[in-house]
PDB file of all heavy atoms in Angstrom:
ATOM      1  N   ASP X 758     124.101 116.472  23.288  1.00  0.00           N
ATOM      2  CA  ASP X 758     124.951 116.617  24.477  1.00  0.00           C
ATOM      3  C   ASP X 758     124.335 115.873  25.661  1.00  0.00           C
ATOM      4  O   ASP X 758     125.048 115.233  26.449  1.00  0.00           O
ATOM      5  CB  ASP X 758     125.120 118.103  24.802  1.00  0.00           C
ATOM      6  CG  ASP X 758     126.103 118.305  25.944  1.00  0.00           C
ATOM      7  OD1 ASP X 758     127.262 117.871  25.822  1.00  0.00           O
ATOM      8  OD2 ASP X 758     125.685 118.884  26.988  1.00  0.00           O
ATOM      9  N   ILE X 759     122.985 115.964  25.788  1.00  0.00           N
ATOM     10  CA  ILE X 759     122.286 115.223  26.862  1.00  0.00           C
ATOM     11  C   ILE X 759     122.521 113.736  26.708  1.00  0.00           C
ATOM     12  O   ILE X 759     122.829 113.020  27.672  1.00  0.00           O
ATOM     13  CB  ILE X 759     120.774 115.556  26.837  1.00  0.00           C
ATOM     14  CG1 ILE X 759     120.535 116.998  27.305  1.00  0.00           C
ATOM     15  CG2 ILE X 759     119.997 114.568  27.700  1.00  0.00           C
ATOM     16  CD1 ILE X 759     119.104 117.457  27.129  1.00  0.00           C
ATOM     17  N   VAL X 760     122.395 113.259  25.462  1.00  0.00           N
ATOM     18  CA  VAL X 760     122.587 111.829  25.221  1.00  0.00           C
ATOM     19  C   VAL X 760     124.009 111.422  25.576  1.00  0.00           C
ATOM     20  O   VAL X 760     124.246 110.373  26.197  1.00  0.00           O
ATOM     21  CB  VAL X 760     122.282 111.488  23.753  1.00  0.00           C
ATOM     22  CG1 VAL X 760     122.659 110.032  23.443  1.00  0.00           C
ATOM     23  CG2 VAL X 760     120.800 111.712  23.453  1.00  0.00           C
ATOM     24  N   ARG X 761     124.981 112.263  25.194  1.00  0.00           N
ATOM     25  CA  ARG X 761     126.379 111.941  25.479  1.00  0.00           C
ATOM     26  C   ARG X 761     126.631 111.833  26.979  1.00  0.00           C
ATOM     27  O   ARG X 761     127.239 110.868  27.457  1.00  0.00           O
ATOM     28  CB  ARG X 761     127.271 113.033  24.863  1.00  0.00           C
ATOM     29  CG  ARG X 761     128.767 112.814  25.107  1.00  0.00           C
ATOM     30  CD  ARG X 761     129.560 113.959  24.518  1.00  0.00           C
ATOM     31  NE  ARG X 761     129.161 115.225  25.087  1.00  0.00           N
ATOM     32  CZ  ARG X 761     129.554 115.662  26.306  1.00  0.00           C
ATOM     33  NH1 ARG X 761     130.352 114.917  27.041  1.00  0.00           N
ATOM     34  NH2 ARG X 761     129.167 116.839  26.744  1.00  0.00           N
ATOM     35  N   ARG X 762     126.125 112.829  27.737  1.00  0.00           N
ATOM     36  CA  ARG X 762     126.363 112.821  29.177  1.00  0.00           C
ATOM     37  C   ARG X 762     125.579 111.688  29.847  1.00  0.00           C
ATOM     38  O   ARG X 762     126.073 111.023  30.755  1.00  0.00           O
ATOM     39  CB  ARG X 762     125.969 114.166  29.781  1.00  0.00           C
ATOM     40  CG  ARG X 762     126.952 115.279  29.414  1.00  0.00           C
ATOM     41  CD  ARG X 762     126.631 116.609  30.120  1.00  0.00           C
ATOM     42  NE  ARG X 762     125.458 117.253  29.564  1.00  0.00           N
ATOM     43  CZ  ARG X 762     124.280 117.331  30.175  1.00  0.00           C
ATOM     44  NH1 ARG X 762     124.112 116.785  31.358  1.00  0.00           N
ATOM     45  NH2 ARG X 762     123.256 117.944  29.596  1.00  0.00           N
ATOM     46  N   ALA X 763     124.319 111.478  29.428  1.00  0.00           N
ATOM     47  CA  ALA X 763     123.491 110.419  30.029  1.00  0.00           C
ATOM     48  C   ALA X 763     124.069 109.037  29.729  1.00  0.00           C
ATOM     49  O   ALA X 763     124.023 108.128  30.578  1.00  0.00           O
ATOM     50  CB  ALA X 763     122.056 110.506  29.527  1.00  0.00           C
ATOM     51  N   GLU X 764     124.636 108.875  28.511  1.00  0.00           N
ATOM     52  CA  GLU X 764     125.195 107.575  28.147  1.00  0.00           C
ATOM     53  C   GLU X 764     126.320 107.170  29.102  1.00  0.00           C
ATOM     54  O   GLU X 764     126.411 106.015  29.530  1.00  0.00           O
ATOM     55  CB  GLU X 764     125.729 107.624  26.722  1.00  0.00           C
ATOM     56  CG  GLU X 764     126.289 106.284  26.248  1.00  0.00           C
ATOM     57  CD  GLU X 764     126.779 106.352  24.818  1.00  0.00           C
ATOM     58  OE1 GLU X 764     127.109 107.459  24.343  1.00  0.00           O
ATOM     59  OE2 GLU X 764     126.850 105.285  24.164  1.00  0.00           O
ATOM     60  N   ALA X 765     127.158 108.142  29.467  1.00  0.00           N
ATOM     61  CA  ALA X 765     128.257 107.841  30.383  1.00  0.00           C
ATOM     62  C   ALA X 765     127.735 107.375  31.737  1.00  0.00           C
ATOM     63  O   ALA X 765     128.266 106.442  32.349  1.00  0.00           O
ATOM     64  CB  ALA X 765     129.146 109.074  30.549  1.00  0.00           C
ATOM     65  N   VAL X 766     126.649 108.033  32.208  1.00  0.00           N
ATOM     66  CA  VAL X 766     126.060 107.654  33.504  1.00  0.00           C
ATOM     67  C   VAL X 766     125.411 106.281  33.420  1.00  0.00           C
ATOM     68  O   VAL X 766     125.568 105.443  34.316  1.00  0.00           O
ATOM     69  CB  VAL X 766     125.026 108.717  33.952  1.00  0.00           C
ATOM     70  CG1 VAL X 766     124.333 108.264  35.237  1.00  0.00           C
ATOM     71  CG2 VAL X 766     125.701 110.066  34.159  1.00  0.00           C
ATOM     72  N   ILE X 767     124.696 106.036  32.331  1.00  0.00           N
ATOM     73  CA  ILE X 767     124.011 104.748  32.169  1.00  0.00           C
ATOM     74  C   ILE X 767     125.015 103.611  32.118  1.00  0.00           C
ATOM     75  O   ILE X 767     124.818 102.558  32.739  1.00  0.00           O
ATOM     76  CB  ILE X 767     123.145 104.760  30.894  1.00  0.00           C
ATOM     77  CG1 ILE X 767     122.015 105.781  31.014  1.00  0.00           C
ATOM     78  CG2 ILE X 767     122.575 103.361  30.623  1.00  0.00           C
ATOM     79  CD1 ILE X 767     121.066 105.561  32.149  1.00  0.00           C
ATOM     80  N   LEU X 768     126.105 103.820  31.376  1.00  0.00           N
ATOM     81  CA  LEU X 768     127.089 102.747  31.245  1.00  0.00           C
ATOM     82  C   LEU X 768     127.785 102.455  32.566  1.00  0.00           C
ATOM     83  O   LEU X 768     128.217 101.326  32.808  1.00  0.00           O
ATOM     84  CB  LEU X 768     128.115 103.113  30.167  1.00  0.00           C
ATOM     85  CG  LEU X 768     127.552 103.178  28.733  1.00  0.00           C
ATOM     86  CD1 LEU X 768     128.641 103.587  27.757  1.00  0.00           C
ATOM     87  CD2 LEU X 768     126.931 101.850  28.325  1.00  0.00           C
TER      88      LEU X 768
END
Side-chain angles (χ1 to χ4, degrees):
D758 186 58
I759 290 172
V760 172
R761 179 182 59 78
R762 288 185 287 108
E764 182 178 24
V766 175
I767 295 300
L768 293 178

